[in-house]
Amino acid sequence: MAEAQFRVTVGSDVESPHVVADGEIDLANVSQFQDVMAKATTGSATLTVDLSQVSYCDSAAVRALFAVAASTDLTMIVAAEGPIKTLLGISGLDRVATVVTEE
């Protein structure tokens, strides 16, 4: 199992903060993912989460993203093909947040 890595890029006045995730997001590391997203949204009403390098998300990660989408204007970047884009559609996250596909 690949360990996920998360990093935050704080936006300028024009750009929203970005969280970039790489690897797998599951019950073992979802609290770290939530903490990184909470830090990024401090003082910002928008957040972009780049999931284009994420290979797996479980239901804990989906719940964390729904929680952020409930209080923040959330944009998620995903690979054009693959399990993450499918997961966002099945879960309904694509109806409460903006999903941008990366070619």
Side-chain angles (χ1 to χ4, degrees):
M1 180 181 287
E3 185 175 323
Q5 296 181 19
F6 312 109
R7 69 179 185 276
V8 176
T9 304
V10 179
S12 65
D13 292 338
V14 178
E15 189 178 332
S16 72
H18 281 65
V19 170
V20 179
D22 183 13
E24 299 178 355
I25 308 171
D26 57 24
L27 190 57
N29 61 14
V30 74
S31 62
Q32 180 188 5
F33 183 51
Q34 289 169 312
D35 291 347
V36 168
M37 289 190 296
K39 176 183 173 187
T41 57
T42 301
S44 178
T46 63
L47 177 65
T48 299
V49 178
D50 185 341
L51 301 170
S52 62
Q53 297 302 310
V54 172
S55 57
Y56 174 80
C57 286
D58 71 2
S59 61
V62 171
R63 280 192 305 275
L65 289 165
F66 265 113
V68 171
S71 61
T72 306
D73 183 12
L74 177 62
T75 299
M76 295 172 288
I77 301 169
V78 298
E81 300 290 327
I84 305 306
K85 183 176 181 192
T86 302
L87 176 67
L88 297 180
I90 291 171
S91 68
L93 263 168
D94 62 348
R95 291 186 293 273
V96 297
T98 302
V99 176
V100 177
T101 56
E102 184 177 80
E103 298 298 323

Coordinates of all heavy atoms in Angstrom, one line a residue:
M1 N 0.8 -1.2 0.0 CA 0.0 0.0 0.0 C 0.9 1.2 0.0 O 1.8 1.4 0.8 CB -0.9 0.0 1.2 CG -1.8 1.2 1.3 SD -2.9 1.2 2.8 CE -4.0 -0.1 2.3
A2 N 0.6 2.1 -0.9 CA 1.4 3.3 -1.0 C 0.9 4.4 -0.1 O -0.3 4.6 0.1 CB 1.3 3.9 -2.5
E3 N 1.8 5.0 0.7 CA 1.4 6.0 1.6 C 1.1 7.3 0.9 O 1.9 7.7 0.0 CB 2.5 6.2 2.6 CG 2.1 7.2 3.7 CD 3.2 7.3 4.8 OE1 3.8 6.2 5.1 OE2 3.4 8.4 5.3
A4 N 0.0 7.9 1.2 CA -0.3 9.2 0.6 C 0.6 10.3 1.1 O 1.0 10.3 2.3 CB -1.8 9.5 0.8
Q5 N 0.8 11.3 0.3 CA 1.5 12.5 0.7 C 0.6 13.7 0.4 O 0.0 13.7 -0.7 CB 2.8 12.6 -0.1 CG 3.8 11.5 0.3 CD 5.1 11.6 -0.5 OE1 5.4 12.7 -1.0 NE2 5.8 10.6 -0.6
F6 N 0.6 14.6 1.3 CA -0.2 15.8 1.1 C 0.6 17.1 1.3 O 1.5 17.1 2.1 CB -1.4 15.8 2.1 CG -2.1 14.5 2.2 CD1 -2.0 13.7 3.4 CD2 -3.0 14.1 1.2 CE1 -2.6 12.5 3.5 CE2 -3.6 12.9 1.3 CZ -3.5 12.1 2.5
R7 N 0.3 18.1 0.4 CA 1.0 19.3 0.6 C 0.0 20.5 0.3 O -0.9 20.3 -0.5 CB 2.3 19.4 -0.2 CG 2.1 19.5 -1.7 CD 3.5 19.6 -2.3 NE 3.3 19.8 -3.8 CZ 3.1 18.9 -4.6 NH1 3.1 17.6 -4.2 NH2 3.0 19.1 -5.9
V8 N 0.3 21.6 0.9 CA -0.6 22.7 0.8 C 0.2 23.8 0.1 O 1.3 24.1 0.4 CB -1.1 23.3 2.1 CG1 -1.9 24.6 1.9 CG2 -1.9 22.2 2.9
T9 N -0.5 24.4 -0.9 CA 0.1 25.6 -1.6 C -0.9 26.7 -1.3 O -2.1 26.7 -1.7 CB 0.2 25.5 -3.1 OG1 1.0 24.3 -3.3 CG2 0.8 26.7 -3.7
V10 N -0.5 27.7 -0.5 CA -1.4 28.8 -0.1 C -1.5 29.8 -1.3 O -0.5 30.2 -1.9 CB -0.9 29.5 1.1 CG1 -1.8 30.7 1.5 CG2 -0.8 28.5 2.3
G11 N -2.7 30.1 -1.6 CA -3.0 31.0 -2.8 C -2.6 32.4 -2.5 O -2.6 32.9 -1.4
S12 N -2.5 33.2 -3.6 CA -2.3 34.6 -3.5 C -3.7 35.2 -3.3 O -4.7 34.5 -3.2 CB -1.6 35.1 -4.7 OG -2.4 34.9 -5.8
D13 N -3.8 36.5 -3.5 CA -5.1 37.2 -3.4 C -6.1 36.7 -4.5 O -7.3 36.8 -4.3 CB -5.0 38.7 -3.4 CG -4.3 39.3 -2.2 OD1 -4.3 38.6 -1.2 OD2 -3.7 40.3 -2.3
V14 N -5.5 36.3 -5.6 CA -6.3 35.9 -6.8 C -6.6 34.4 -6.8 O -7.6 33.9 -7.2 CB -5.6 36.3 -8.1 CG1 -6.4 35.9 -9.3 CG2 -5.3 37.8 -8.1
E15 N -5.7 33.6 -6.3 CA -5.7 32.2 -6.4 C -6.1 31.5 -5.1 O -5.7 31.9 -4.0 CB -4.4 31.7 -6.8 CG -4.3 30.2 -7.2 CD -2.9 29.9 -7.7 OE1 -2.2 30.7 -8.2 OE2 -2.5 28.7 -7.5
S16 N -7.0 30.5 -5.1 CA -7.4 29.8 -3.9 C -6.3 28.9 -3.5 O -5.4 28.5 -4.2 CB -8.7 29.0 -4.2 OG -8.4 27.9 -4.9
P17 N -6.3 28.5 -2.2 CA -5.3 27.6 -1.7 C -5.5 26.2 -2.4 O -6.6 25.9 -2.8 CB -5.6 27.5 -0.2 CG -6.7 28.3 0.1 CD -7.2 29.0 -1.1
H18 N -4.4 25.5 -2.5 CA -4.4 24.2 -3.2 C -3.9 23.1 -2.2 O -2.9 23.4 -1.5 CB -3.5 24.2 -4.4 CG -4.0 24.8 -5.6 ND1 -4.3 26.1 -5.7 CD2 -4.4 24.3 -6.8 CE1 -4.8 26.4 -6.9 NE2 -4.9 25.3 -7.6
V19 N -4.5 22.0 -2.2 CA -4.0 20.8 -1.5 C -3.7 19.8 -2.6 O -4.5 19.5 -3.5 CB -5.0 20.2 -0.5 CG1 -4.6 18.9 0.0 CG2 -5.3 21.2 0.6
V20 N -2.5 19.3 -2.6 CA -2.1 18.3 -3.6 C -1.9 17.0 -2.9 O -1.2 16.9 -1.9 CB -0.8 18.7 -4.3 CG1 -0.4 17.6 -5.4 CG2 -1.0 20.1 -5.0
A21 N -2.6 15.9 -3.4 CA -2.5 14.6 -2.8 C -1.8 13.7 -3.8 O -2.1 13.8 -5.0 CB -3.9 14.1 -2.3
D22 N -1.1 12.7 -3.2 CA -0.4 11.7 -4.1 C -0.5 10.4 -3.4 O -0.2 10.3 -2.2 CB 1.0 12.2 -4.3 CG 1.8 11.3 -5.2 OD1 1.2 10.4 -5.9 OD2 3.0 11.4 -5.3
G23 N -0.9 9.3 -4.1 CA -0.9 8.0 -3.5 C -2.3 7.6 -3.2 O -3.3 7.8 -3.9
E24 N -2.5 7.0 -2.0 CA -3.8 6.5 -1.6 C -4.3 7.3 -0.4 O -3.6 7.6 0.5 CB -3.7 5.0 -1.2 CG -3.3 4.1 -2.4 CD -3.1 2.7 -2.0 OE1 -3.3 2.3 -0.8 OE2 -2.8 1.9 -2.9
I25 N -5.6 7.5 -0.4 CA -6.2 8.2 0.8 C -7.3 7.2 1.4 O -8.2 6.8 0.7 CB -6.9 9.5 0.4 CG1 -6.0 10.4 -0.4 CG2 -7.5 10.2 1.7 CD1 -6.7 11.6 -1.0
D26 N -7.0 6.8 2.6 CA -7.9 5.8 3.2 C -8.0 6.0 4.7 O -7.5 7.1 5.2 CB -7.5 4.4 2.9 CG -6.0 4.1 3.3 OD1 -5.5 4.8 4.2 OD2 -5.4 3.2 2.8
L27 N -8.6 5.1 5.4 CA -8.8 5.3 6.9 C -7.5 5.5 7.6 O -7.5 6.3 8.6 CB -9.6 4.1 7.4 CG -10.1 4.2 8.8 CD1 -11.0 5.4 9.0 CD2 -10.8 2.9 9.2
A28 N -6.4 5.0 7.1 CA -5.2 5.1 7.8 C -4.6 6.5 7.8 O -3.8 6.9 8.7 CB -4.1 4.1 7.2
N29 N -4.9 7.3 6.8 CA -4.3 8.6 6.7 C -5.4 9.8 6.4 O -5.0 10.9 6.2 CB -3.3 8.7 5.6 CG -3.8 8.3 4.2 OD1 -5.0 8.3 4.0 ND2 -2.9 8.0 3.3
V30 N -6.6 9.4 6.5 CA -7.7 10.4 6.2 C -7.6 11.6 7.2 O -7.9 12.7 6.9 CB -9.1 9.8 6.1 CG1 -9.6 9.4 7.5 CG2 -10.0 10.8 5.4
S31 N -7.2 11.3 8.5 CA -7.2 12.4 9.4 C -6.1 13.4 9.1 O -6.3 14.7 9.2 CB -7.0 11.9 10.9 OG -5.8 11.2 11.0
Q32 N -5.0 13.0 8.5 CA -3.9 13.9 8.0 C -4.5 14.7 6.8 O -4.3 15.9 6.7 CB -2.7 13.1 7.6 CG -1.6 14.0 7.1 CD -0.4 13.2 6.5 OE1 -0.5 11.9 6.4 NE2 0.6 13.9 6.1
F33 N -5.2 14.0 5.9 CA -5.8 14.7 4.8 C -6.8 15.8 5.2 O -6.8 16.9 4.7 CB -6.5 13.6 3.9 CG -7.1 14.1 2.6 CD1 -6.4 14.9 1.7 CD2 -8.5 13.8 2.3 CE1 -7.0 15.3 0.5 CE2 -9.0 14.2 1.1 CZ -8.3 15.0 0.2
Q34 N -7.6 15.5 6.2 CA -8.6 16.4 6.8 C -7.8 17.6 7.4 O -8.2 18.8 7.2 CB -9.5 15.8 7.8 CG -10.5 14.8 7.2 CD -11.2 14.0 8.3 OE1 -10.5 13.4 9.2 NE2 -12.5 13.9 8.2
D35 N -6.8 17.3 8.1 CA -6.0 18.4 8.8 C -5.4 19.3 7.8 O -5.4 20.6 7.9 CB -4.9 17.8 9.7 CG -5.4 17.1 10.9 OD1 -6.6 17.3 11.2 OD2 -4.6 16.4 11.5
V36 N -4.9 18.8 6.7 CA -4.2 19.6 5.6 C -5.3 20.5 5.0 O -5.1 21.6 4.7 CB -3.5 18.7 4.6 CG1 -3.1 19.5 3.4 CG2 -2.3 18.1 5.3
M37 N -6.5 19.9 4.7 CA -7.5 20.7 4.1 C -8.0 21.8 5.0 O -8.3 22.9 4.6 CB -8.7 19.8 3.6 CG -8.3 18.9 2.4 SD -9.7 18.1 1.6 CE -10.3 17.0 3.0
A38 N -8.2 21.5 6.3 CA -8.6 22.5 7.3 C -7.6 23.6 7.3 O -8.0 24.8 7.4 CB -8.8 21.8 8.6
K39 N -6.3 23.3 7.4 CA -5.3 24.3 7.4 C -5.4 25.2 6.1 O -5.3 26.4 6.2 CB -3.9 23.7 7.5 CG -2.8 24.7 7.4 CD -1.4 23.9 7.4 CE -0.3 24.9 7.2 NZ 1.0 24.2 7.0
A40 N -5.6 24.6 5.0 CA -5.6 25.3 3.7 C -6.8 26.2 3.7 O -6.8 27.3 3.1 CB -5.7 24.3 2.6
T41 N -8.0 25.9 4.3 CA -9.2 26.7 4.2 C -9.3 27.8 5.2 O -10.2 28.6 5.2 CB -10.4 25.8 4.2 OG1 -10.4 25.1 5.4 CG2 -10.5 24.9 3.0
T42 N -8.3 27.8 6.2 CA -8.3 28.8 7.2 C -8.2 30.2 6.5 O -7.3 30.5 5.8 CB -7.2 28.7 8.2 OG1 -7.3 27.4 8.8 CG2 -7.2 29.8 9.2
G43 N -9.3 31.0 6.6 CA -9.3 32.3 6.0 C -9.6 32.4 4.6 O -9.5 33.4 3.9
S44 N -10.1 31.2 4.0 CA -10.4 31.2 2.6 C -11.8 30.5 2.4 O -12.1 29.5 3.1 CB -9.4 30.4 1.8 OG -9.7 30.3 0.4
A45 N -12.6 31.0 1.5 CA -13.9 30.4 1.2 C -13.8 29.4 0.1 O -14.8 28.8 -0.3 CB -14.9 31.5 0.9
T46 N -12.6 29.3 -0.5 CA -12.4 28.4 -1.7 C -11.2 27.4 -1.4 O -10.3 27.8 -0.6 CB -12.2 29.1 -3.0 OG1 -11.0 29.9 -2.9 CG2 -13.3 30.1 -3.3
L47 N -11.3 26.3 -2.0 CA -10.2 25.3 -1.9 C -10.2 24.5 -3.2 O -11.2 24.1 -3.7 CB -10.4 24.4 -0.7 CG -9.3 23.3 -0.6 CD1 -7.9 23.9 -0.3 CD2 -9.7 22.3 0.5
T48 N -8.9 24.3 -3.7 CA -8.7 23.4 -4.8 C -8.0 22.2 -4.3 O -6.9 22.4 -3.6 CB -8.0 24.0 -6.0 OG1 -8.7 25.1 -6.4 CG2 -7.7 23.1 -7.1
V49 N -8.5 21.0 -4.5 CA -7.8 19.7 -4.1 C -7.4 19.0 -5.4 O -8.3 18.6 -6.2 CB -8.7 18.9 -3.2 CG1 -8.0 17.6 -2.9 CG2 -9.1 19.6 -2.0
D50 N -6.1 18.8 -5.6 CA -5.6 18.1 -6.8 C -5.5 16.6 -6.4 O -4.6 16.2 -5.6 CB -4.2 18.7 -7.2 CG -3.7 18.1 -8.4 OD1 -4.2 17.0 -8.9 OD2 -2.8 18.7 -9.0
L51 N -6.4 15.8 -7.0 CA -6.4 14.4 -6.8 C -5.9 13.6 -8.0 O -6.1 12.4 -8.1 CB -7.8 13.9 -6.5 CG -8.5 14.6 -5.3 CD1 -10.0 14.2 -5.2 CD2 -7.8 14.1 -4.0
S52 N -5.3 14.3 -8.9 CA -4.9 13.7 -10.2 C -3.8 12.6 -10.0 O -3.7 11.8 -10.9 CB -4.4 14.8 -11.2 OG -3.2 15.4 -10.7
Q53 N -3.1 12.6 -8.9 CA -2.1 11.6 -8.7 C -2.5 10.6 -7.6 O -1.7 9.8 -7.1 CB -0.7 12.3 -8.3 CG -0.2 13.1 -9.4 CD 0.1 12.4 -10.7 OE1 0.7 11.3 -10.7 NE2 -0.4 12.9 -11.8
V54 N -3.8 10.7 -7.2 CA -4.3 9.7 -6.2 C -4.8 8.5 -6.9 O -5.5 8.5 -7.9 CB -5.5 10.4 -5.4 CG1 -6.2 9.4 -4.5 CG2 -4.9 11.5 -4.6
S55 N -4.3 7.3 -6.4 CA -4.7 6.0 -7.1 C -5.8 5.3 -6.4 O -6.5 4.5 -7.0 CB -3.4 5.1 -7.0 OG -3.0 4.9 -5.7
Y56 N -6.2 5.7 -5.2 CA -7.3 5.1 -4.4 C -7.8 6.0 -3.4 O -7.0 6.7 -2.7 CB -6.7 3.8 -3.8 CG -7.7 3.1 -2.9 CD1 -8.7 2.3 -3.4 CD2 -7.7 3.3 -1.5 CE1 -9.7 1.7 -2.6 CE2 -8.6 2.7 -0.6 CZ -9.6 1.9 -1.2 OH -10.5 1.3 -0.4
C57 N -9.1 6.0 -3.2 CA -9.8 6.7 -2.1 C -10.9 5.8 -1.6 O -11.6 5.2 -2.3 CB -10.6 8.0 -2.6 SG -9.6 9.4 -3.0
D58 N -11.0 5.7 -0.2 CA -12.0 4.9 0.4 C -13.2 5.9 0.8 O -13.1 7.1 0.6 CB -11.5 4.0 1.5 CG -11.1 4.7 2.7 OD1 -11.2 6.0 2.8 OD2 -10.6 4.0 3.7
S59 N -14.2 5.3 1.5 CA -15.3 6.1 1.9 C -14.9 7.2 2.9 O -15.6 8.2 3.0 CB -16.4 5.2 2.5 OG -15.9 4.5 3.6
A60 N -13.9 7.0 3.7 CA -13.5 8.0 4.7 C -13.0 9.2 3.9 O -13.3 10.4 4.3 CB -12.4 7.4 5.6
A61 N -12.3 9.0 2.8 CA -11.8 10.2 2.0 C -13.0 10.9 1.4 O -13.0 12.1 1.3 CB -10.8 9.7 1.0
V62 N -14.0 10.1 0.9 CA -15.2 10.7 0.3 C -15.9 11.6 1.3 O -16.3 12.7 1.1 CB -16.1 9.6 -0.3 CG1 -17.4 10.2 -0.7 CG2 -15.4 9.0 -1.5
R63 N -16.1 11.1 2.6 CA -16.7 11.8 3.6 C -16.0 13.1 3.9 O -16.6 14.2 4.1 CB -16.8 11.0 4.9 CG -18.0 10.0 4.9 CD -18.3 9.4 6.2 NE -17.1 8.7 6.8 CZ -16.7 7.5 6.6 NH1 -17.4 6.7 5.7 NH2 -15.7 7.0 7.2
A64 N -14.6 13.0 4.0 CA -13.8 14.2 4.2 C -14.0 15.3 3.1 O -14.1 16.5 3.4 CB -12.3 13.8 4.3
L65 N -14.1 14.8 1.9 CA -14.3 15.8 0.8 C -15.7 16.4 0.8 O -15.9 17.6 0.6 CB -14.1 15.1 -0.5 CG -12.6 14.8 -0.8 CD1 -12.4 13.8 -2.0 CD2 -11.8 16.1 -1.1
F66 N -16.7 15.6 1.2 CA -18.1 16.1 1.4 C -18.1 17.1 2.5 O -18.8 18.2 2.3 CB -19.1 15.0 1.7 CG -19.8 14.4 0.5 CD1 -19.6 13.1 0.1 CD2 -20.7 15.2 -0.2 CE1 -20.3 12.6 -1.0 CE2 -21.4 14.7 -1.3 CZ -21.2 13.4 -1.7
A67 N -17.4 16.9 3.6 CA -17.4 17.8 4.7 C -16.8 19.2 4.2 O -17.4 20.2 4.6 CB -16.6 17.3 5.8
V68 N -15.8 19.1 3.5 CA -15.2 20.4 3.0 C -16.1 21.1 2.0 O -16.3 22.3 2.1 CB -13.8 20.1 2.3 CG1 -13.3 21.3 1.6 CG2 -12.8 19.6 3.3
A69 N -16.8 20.3 1.1 CA -17.7 20.9 0.1 C -18.9 21.5 0.8 O -19.5 22.5 0.2 CB -18.1 19.8 -0.8
A70 N -19.2 21.1 2.0 CA -20.4 21.7 2.7 C -20.1 23.1 3.2 O -21.1 23.9 3.4 CB -20.8 20.8 3.9
S71 N -18.9 23.4 3.4 CA -18.6 24.8 3.9 C -17.6 25.6 3.1 O -17.3 26.7 3.4 CB -18.0 24.6 5.3 OG -16.7 23.9 5.2
T72 N -17.2 25.0 2.0 CA -16.2 25.7 1.1 C -16.6 25.5 -0.3 O -17.1 24.5 -0.7 CB -14.8 25.0 1.4 OG1 -14.5 25.1 2.7 CG2 -13.7 25.7 0.6
D73 N -16.2 26.5 -1.2 CA -16.4 26.3 -2.6 C -15.2 25.4 -3.1 O -14.1 25.9 -3.3 CB -16.3 27.7 -3.3 CG -16.5 27.6 -4.8 OD1 -16.9 26.5 -5.3 OD2 -16.3 28.6 -5.4
L74 N -15.5 24.1 -3.2 CA -14.5 23.1 -3.5 C -14.4 22.8 -5.0 O -15.4 22.6 -5.6 CB -14.8 21.8 -2.7 CG -13.9 20.6 -2.9 CD1 -12.5 20.9 -2.4 CD2 -14.5 19.4 -2.2
T75 N -13.1 22.8 -5.5 CA -12.8 22.3 -6.8 C -11.8 21.2 -6.7 O -10.9 21.3 -5.9 CB -12.2 23.5 -7.6 OG1 -13.1 24.5 -7.8 CG2 -11.8 23.0 -9.0
M76 N -12.1 20.1 -7.4 CA -11.2 18.9 -7.4 C -10.7 18.7 -8.8 O -11.4 18.7 -9.7 CB -12.0 17.7 -6.9 CG -12.4 17.8 -5.4 SD -13.5 16.5 -4.9 CE -15.0 16.9 -5.8
I77 N -9.4 18.5 -8.9 CA -8.7 18.2 -10.1 C -8.5 16.7 -10.1 O -7.9 16.1 -9.2 CB -7.4 18.9 -10.3 CG1 -7.6 20.4 -10.2 CG2 -6.7 18.5 -11.6 CD1 -6.4 21.3 -10.1
V78 N -8.9 16.0 -11.2 CA -8.8 14.5 -11.3 C -8.3 14.1 -12.6 O -8.4 14.9 -13.6 CB -10.1 13.8 -11.0 CG1 -10.6 14.1 -9.6 CG2 -11.2 14.1 -12.0
A79 N -7.7 12.9 -12.7 CA -7.3 12.4 -14.0 C -8.5 12.2 -14.9 O -9.6 11.9 -14.4 CB -6.5 11.1 -13.8
A80 N -8.4 12.4 -16.2 CA -9.5 12.3 -17.1 C -10.1 10.9 -17.1 O -11.3 10.7 -17.3 CB -9.0 12.6 -18.5
E81 N -9.3 9.9 -16.8 CA -9.8 8.5 -16.8 C -9.3 7.9 -15.5 O -8.3 8.3 -14.9 CB -9.2 7.7 -17.9 CG -9.6 8.2 -19.3 CD -11.1 7.9 -19.6 OE1 -11.6 6.9 -19.2 OE2 -11.6 8.8 -20.3
G82 N -10.1 7.0 -14.9 CA -9.7 6.2 -13.8 C -10.6 6.2 -12.7 O -11.7 6.7 -12.7
P83 N -10.2 5.5 -11.6 CA -11.2 5.2 -10.5 C -11.6 6.4 -9.7 O -12.7 6.5 -9.2 CB -10.4 4.2 -9.6 CG -9.0 4.5 -9.9 CD -8.9 4.9 -11.4
I84 N -10.8 7.5 -9.6 CA -11.1 8.6 -8.8 C -12.3 9.4 -9.5 O -13.2 9.8 -8.8 CB -9.9 9.5 -8.5 CG1 -8.8 8.7 -7.9 CG2 -10.3 10.7 -7.6 CD1 -9.2 7.9 -6.6
K85 N -12.2 9.6 -10.7 CA -13.3 10.3 -11.5 C -14.6 9.5 -11.3 O -15.6 10.1 -11.1 CB -12.9 10.5 -12.9 CG -13.9 11.3 -13.7 CD -13.5 11.6 -15.1 CE -14.7 12.4 -15.8 NZ -14.5 12.4 -17.2
T86 N -14.5 8.2 -11.5 CA -15.7 7.3 -11.3 C -16.2 7.4 -9.9 O -17.4 7.6 -9.8 CB -15.3 5.9 -11.7 OG1 -14.8 5.8 -13.0 CG2 -16.5 5.0 -11.6
L87 N -15.4 7.4 -8.9 CA -15.8 7.5 -7.5 C -16.5 8.8 -7.3 O -17.6 8.8 -6.6 CB -14.6 7.3 -6.6 CG -14.9 7.5 -5.1 CD1 -15.7 6.4 -4.6 CD2 -13.6 7.6 -4.4
L88 N -16.0 9.9 -7.8 CA -16.7 11.2 -7.5 C -18.1 11.2 -8.2 O -19.0 11.8 -7.6 CB -15.8 12.3 -8.1 CG -14.4 12.5 -7.5 CD1 -13.7 13.7 -8.1 CD2 -14.5 12.7 -6.0
G89 N -18.2 10.6 -9.3 CA -19.6 10.5 -9.9 C -20.5 9.6 -9.2 O -21.7 10.0 -8.9
I90 N -20.1 8.4 -8.8 CA -20.9 7.5 -8.0 C -21.3 8.1 -6.7 O -22.5 7.9 -6.3 CB -20.2 6.1 -7.9 CG1 -20.0 5.4 -9.2 CG2 -20.9 5.2 -6.9 CD1 -19.2 4.2 -9.2
S91 N -20.4 8.7 -6.0 CA -20.7 9.2 -4.7 C -21.5 10.5 -4.7 O -22.1 10.9 -3.7 CB -19.4 9.6 -3.9 OG -18.7 10.7 -4.6
G92 N -21.6 11.2 -5.8 CA -22.3 12.4 -5.9 C -21.5 13.7 -5.6 O -22.0 14.8 -5.6
L93 N -20.2 13.5 -5.3 CA -19.4 14.7 -5.0 C -19.3 15.6 -6.2 O -19.1 16.8 -6.1 CB -17.9 14.2 -4.7 CG -17.6 14.1 -3.2 CD1 -16.3 13.4 -3.0 CD2 -17.6 15.4 -2.5
D94 N -19.5 15.1 -7.4 CA -19.4 15.9 -8.6 C -20.6 16.8 -8.7 O -20.7 17.7 -9.5 CB -19.2 15.1 -9.9 CG -20.4 14.1 -10.1 OD1 -21.2 13.9 -9.2 OD2 -20.4 13.6 -11.2
R95 N -21.6 16.6 -7.9 CA -22.8 17.5 -7.9 C -22.8 18.6 -6.8 O -23.5 19.5 -6.9 CB -24.1 16.6 -7.7 CG -24.4 15.7 -8.9 CD -25.7 15.0 -8.8 NE -25.7 14.0 -7.8 CZ -25.3 12.7 -7.9 NH1 -24.8 12.3 -9.1 NH2 -25.4 11.9 -6.9
V96 N -21.9 18.4 -5.9 CA -21.7 19.5 -4.8 C -20.4 20.2 -4.9 O -20.2 21.1 -4.1 CB -21.9 18.8 -3.4 CG1 -23.3 18.2 -3.2 CG2 -20.8 17.8 -3.1
A97 N -19.6 19.8 -5.8 CA -18.3 20.5 -6.0 C -18.0 20.5 -7.4 O -18.6 19.8 -8.2 CB -17.2 19.7 -5.2
T98 N -17.0 21.3 -7.8 CA -16.6 21.4 -9.2 C -15.5 20.4 -9.4 O -14.5 20.3 -8.7 CB -16.0 22.8 -9.5 OG1 -17.0 23.8 -9.2 CG2 -15.6 22.9 -11.0
V99 N -15.6 19.6 -10.5 CA -14.6 18.6 -10.9 C -14.0 19.0 -12.2 O -14.7 19.2 -13.2 CB -15.2 17.2 -11.0 CG1 -14.2 16.2 -11.5 CG2 -15.8 16.8 -9.7
V100 N -12.7 19.2 -12.2 CA -11.9 19.5 -13.4 C -11.1 18.3 -13.8 O -10.3 17.8 -12.9 CB -11.1 20.8 -13.1 CG1 -10.2 21.1 -14.4 CG2 -11.9 21.9 -12.7
T101 N -11.2 17.9 -15.0 CA -10.3 16.8 -15.4 C -9.0 17.3 -16.0 O -9.0 18.3 -16.7 CB -11.1 15.9 -16.5 OG1 -11.5 16.6 -17.6 CG2 -12.3 15.2 -15.8
E102 N -8.0 16.5 -15.7 CA -6.7 16.8 -16.2 C -6.3 15.8 -17.3 O -6.4 14.6 -17.0 CB -5.7 16.8 -15.1 CG -4.3 17.2 -15.5 CD -3.4 17.1 -14.3 OE1 -2.9 16.0 -13.9 OE2 -3.1 18.2 -13.7
E103 N -6.0 16.3 -18.5 CA -5.7 15.4 -19.6 C -4.3 14.8 -19.4 O -3.4 15.3 -19.0 CB -5.8 16.1 -20.9 CG -7.2 16.6 -21.2 CD -8.3 15.6 -21.3 OE1 -8.0 14.5 -21.8 OE2 -9.4 15.8 -20.8

